Amino acid sequence: GAGVSQSPSNKVTEKGKDVELRCDPISGHTALYWYRQSLGQGLEFLIYFQGNSAPDKSGLPSDRFSAERTGGSVSTLTIQRTQQEDSAVYLCASSLAPGNQPQHFGDGTRLSIL
Amino acid sequence: AQSVTQLDSHVSVSEGTPVLLRCNYSSSYSPSLFWYVQHPNKGLQLLLKYTSAATLVKGINGFEAEFKKSETSFHLTKPSAHMSDAAEYFCVVSDTSGTYKYIFGTGTRLKVLA
């Protein structure tokens, strides 16, 4: 079946611009996660959704970052007034339920801030 | 509290020789453990999972891992490395307490020499 889909796959933008990253999870997966992966680094947790609610936003680096999820499905991660340090790969994952179910990852959005 | 330690940041093996990637975990509850592989410019792909069934878990592409509670380990092995196995590998722990958190190791980069 269809996996987790992320778009765009690549995004290049100028410093100061806003960007929106989209994640389409596997149908029926209630849990959705956003992570950031900088070059050669591990995964940095950003935010977790259960349904449309975000019980844990603790990983968002600053108030320039926000995310929403609608219809218990698609999620959008928005970065306002982008900075060069925001350059990274943003990964989305979904799971049937949080915790003991495996996460399924998209291929990520590679964001480059000029 | 949960934690996971991947003991080697880099591992090099010759093609056709065994692979061993080491992972130790800490969990206050019965853990769920996962191994993921990440090829360049791709998301993370699930290799295998342990969720309190058989302690020897077989995964895709000939990989397997053994859950050893007494040693708090979940090492990943493969009898014979293939060039296509060259990638980054992540060990992940969650638990059955109802938490939504997945704790990622820092990754092991596997290099396969011809």
Side-chain angles (χ1 to χ4, degrees), chain B residues 22-87:
Chain B
R22 299 183 294 165
C23 173
N24 286 104
Y25 71 91
S26 173
S27 179
S28 302
Y29 298 89
S30 298
S32 293
L33 292 154
F34 311 89
W35 274 101
Y36 287 86
V37 61
Q38 186 179 32
H39 288 95
N41 301 314
K42 291 289 188 182
L44 279 69
Q45 179 185 17
L46 180 69
L47 278 177
L48 49 81
K49 62 180 180 180
Y50 167 78
T51 53
S52 76
T55 57
L56 183 62
V57 182
K58 292 189 183 298
I60 63 171
N61 300 336
F63 284 95
E64 62 182 38
E66 186 171 8
F67 173 71
K68 292 187 176 180
K69 186 175 180 179
S70 60
E71 298 177 11
T72 61
S73 69
F74 190 59
H75 301 334
L76 182 70
T77 60
K78 182 173 181 177
S80 176
H82 191 272
M83 296 298 290
S84 60
D85 294 328

Side-chain angles (χ1 to χ4, degrees), chain A residues 33 35 37 41-43 45 48 56 58 91 95 97-107 110, chain B residues 32 34 36 38 41-44 46 49 51 90 92 94-96 99-102 104-106 109:
Chain A
Y33 300 75
Y35 297 91
Q37 187 175 33
Q41 302 297 309
L43 272 70
F45 168 80
Y48 155 67
D56 188 352
S58 64
L91 291 166
S95 66
N100 65 349
Q101 295 294 323
Q103 295 179 303
H104 298 264
F105 284 81
D107 282 342
R110 182 174 300 277
Chain B
S32 293
F34 311 89
Y36 287 86
Q38 186 179 32
N41 301 314
K42 291 289 188 182
L44 279 69
L46 180 69
K49 62 180 180 180
T51 53
F90 292 94
V92 182
S94 184
D95 67 44
T96 54
T99 182
Y100 57 86
K101 283 193 179 288
Y102 295 83
F104 287 76
T106 51
R109 184 164 297 277

Side-chain angles (χ1 to χ4, degrees), chain A residues 24-45:
Chain A
D24 228 313
I26 293 173
S27 178
H29 281 197
T30 62
L32 186 147
Y33 300 75
W34 284 98
Y35 297 91
R36 182 167 70 176
Q37 187 175 33
S38 300
L39 188 63
Q41 302 297 309
L43 272 70
E44 175 189 4
F45 168 80

Side-chain angles (χ1 to χ4, degrees), chain A residues 4 8 15 21 35 42 48-49 52 57 60 62-63 74 79 87-88 90 98 105 111:
Chain A
V4 176
K15 177 182 171 182
L21 312 180
Y35 297 91
Y48 155 67
F49 285 93
N52 292 335
K57 306 178 183 180
L60 294 177
S62 74
D63 59 8
V74 172
I79 310 173
S87 296
Y90 290 82
F105 284 81
L111 178 63

